[in-house]
Amino acid sequence: MLKLLVVLLLLAIVGSLFSGLFYLYRDRGAGERTVRALTLRIGLSIALFLVLLAGFRFGFIPGYTQ
């Protein structure tokens, strides 16, 4: 389940990145849609980081043991 969530978040991040590129090209840098798309990408990246941290903390992701 965690792997599926991580993959979905990664796909959403890449999709948001390409939509930001599309809006940047289409609006010639004058619109707010590019900023919103890239802000969404940052939010999704932070969410992915927190999911990975929580998965490691609660034992869903095994850690390195010596």
Side-chain angles (χ1 to χ4, degrees):
M1 185 68 177
L2 185 64
K3 288 181 185 180
L4 179 65
L5 180 62
V6 168
V7 169
L8 288 176
L9 278 172
L10 284 173
L11 288 175
I13 289 168
V14 170
S16 177
L17 183 64
F18 279 113
S19 69
L21 178 65
F22 175 75
Y23 292 139
L24 179 67
Y25 177 73
R26 186 166 208 179
D27 296 342
R28 304 281 184 214
E32 288 187 22
R33 296 189 294 183
T34 303
V35 175
R36 273 190 264 137
L38 295 177
T39 302
L40 176 65
R41 183 184 64 89
I42 291 170
L44 289 171
S45 298
I46 291 171
L48 176 63
F49 182 71
L50 292 176
V51 164
L52 290 174
L53 279 177
F56 180 72
R57 172 69 175 100
F58 294 118
F60 297 123
I61 300 172
Y64 176 75
T65 58
Q66 293 183 350

